[in-house]
Amino acid sequence: MNDHEELDDIPGTTVFTTERSRQGFQLNQFCMSLMKEENRERFRLDERAYLDEWPMTEAQKQAVLARDYNAAIAQGGNIYFLAKIFATDGQSFQQAAASMTGMSSDEYAQMMLSGGRSPEGQRSIKEGR
Amino acid sequence: MARITAGVATSHVPAIGAALDFGKSGSDYWQPLFDGYDWSKEWIKKEKPDVVVLIYNDHASAFSLAVLPTFAIGCAESYAIADEGFGPRPVPVVLGHADLACHITESLILDEFDMTIINEMTVDHGLTVPLSLMFGQPEAWPVKVVPIAVNVVEYPQPTGNRCFELGKALRKAIRSYDEDLNVQVWGTGGMSHQLQGPRAGLINSEFDHEFLDQLVQDPDTLKKVPHIEYLREAGSEGIEMIMWLIMRGALGKKVKELYRFYHVPASNTAVGHLILKPTK
Ligand SMILES: [Fe+2]
């Protein structure tokens, strides 16, 4: 395997590699299925039953049910795919992003209005810069 | 012969499309963003391009993980609007320029850029938001579009150098089409943003401004910036900016900067916009 030491050195970030793409394949394909209104309706009606139609791991299913997007990403989910879940929920990209940071939606929105999160100290775990 | 008359770069944030579609473009939050495109809208009315070769990325809409092309080109007559989870955007269908697209495809592949050929696909906010920003809300889009989709979703994305070289090959391809067409090349996506994880919300204005300057004046240095630099400095989704290098490569050695706009925030993202004119 290629060495991804540099990619793994970015704080609070999961780079979506070919390996993670393989790990999250079924989870991400499930997300794509929510691009059809009929599937969104079926999902809303009984989320668990809908998820059980997919050969996903239990951890992936739990992450979806809990709308825990950090957990979903740890299980191979990719944010552009996961976006189909929060679009189905009627949640904005900003609210979903906020939910991954440990900040409230309001705090996060305020941070963005003030110019966003500074890259200072957010570039490298190892080098602490 | 077809002429490349200008290059346009712009972010393609989905929330911008939603703001327009739901009539919120005049709100305190969105007005300053849309004001930044007023000049461009007037400019393009006068320029009247026939075709836009539009470099963008699909956001898990047309391409699932089943098949994920690195570079793909649309040769279809038209492109339906994707349903990204909340119904398709209420914007006109996108008309292609199939003849030009086929010509470009042949030229690129014979030039050793192994494009994936698409004859049917839907297009998402990556392609439609730039059209909305430049043309507003018309009944029908006033240009035909040749879409070129770039994988920026899964690592490794193509390198900056490869993107720039593809742009150069694209220049040759467009200019060898024997119909007098006014063609613009657009690069979309960016600027700095991260949509995932505890670091979500990252914005690096300094990096963005330097990128804009270098894209105009010194793309030969900029094209060497490695992935890790974008990921660290501009956020995990900031890597979309490599697509702007394709546009820049298509414009030739020297360009004149006609217009620049930069704004933070649009949802989670820094918005950048450039209009460039090839001079040589
Ligand atoms: Fe994008």
Side-chain angles (χ1 to χ4, degrees), chain A residues 80, chain B residues 12 57 59 240:
Chain A
Y80 290 125
Chain B
H12 58 213
N57 69 288
H59 304 77
E240 286 186 345

Side-chain angles (χ1 to χ4, degrees), chain B residues 1-45:
Chain B
M1 300 304 259
R3 295 161 289 129
I4 299 175
T5 57
V8 174
T10 179
S11 305
H12 58 213
V13 187
I16 295 175
L20 256 188
D21 300 343
F22 294 104
K24 290 188 190 140
S25 57
S27 71
D28 289 349
Y29 185 89
W30 288 110
Q31 177 100 47
L33 181 278
F34 286 99
D35 283 353
Y37 285 81
D38 281 347
W39 189 91
S40 316
K41 284 203 191 91
E42 284 308 309
W43 169 82
I44 206 160
K45 261 185 217 155

Side-chain angles (χ1 to χ4, degrees), chain A residues 4 6-7 9-18 21 24-25 28-29 32 34-37 40 44 70 73 78-81 83-84 87-88 93-94 97-98 100-101 108 111-113 115-119 122-125 127 129, chain B residues 14 29 57-66 68 82-87 122 124-125 152-157 193-205 227-229 231-233 236-237 240 264-269:
Chain A
H4 288 151
E6 271 192 325
L7 300 181
D9 177 51
I10 307 171
T13 303
T14 306
V15 178
F16 191 62
T17 56
T18 50
S21 170
F25 181 70
N28 290 315
Q29 295 301 90
M32 292 285 289
L34 298 177
M35 292 176 67
K36 290 202 175 100
E37 181 56 31
R40 293 196 284 270
R44 284 191 199 102
N70 283 327
I73 287 169
N78 171 278
I79 194 60
Y80 290 125
F81 290 80
K84 276 59 177 176
T88 298
F93 224 125
Q94 193 175 68
M100 290 178 262
T101 63
Y108 183 88
M111 174 183 78
M112 293 317 298
L113 281 170
R117 183 186 304 282
S118 162
Q122 298 288 322
R123 295 177 171 98
S124 163
I125 299 167
E127 295 165 33
R129 61 180 176 105
Chain B
Y29 185 89
N57 69 288
D58 179 78
H59 304 77
S61 305
F63 308 128
S64 72
L65 292 179
L68 192 58
D83 179 343
E84 298 179 57
F86 40 81
T122 56
D124 70 12
H125 69 268
V152 295
V153 171
E154 183 172 319
Y155 177 91
Q157 294 81 2
H193 65 303
Q194 175 150 334
L195 304 173
Q196 52 118 346
R199 201 176 74 141
L202 185 106
I203 300 283
N204 190 342
S205 303
H227 292 105
I228 186 69
E229 188 83 355
L231 296 168
R232 278 196 211 279
E233 298 289 336
S236 50
E237 280 66 46
E240 286 186 345
V264 177
S267 182
N268 302 292
T269 308

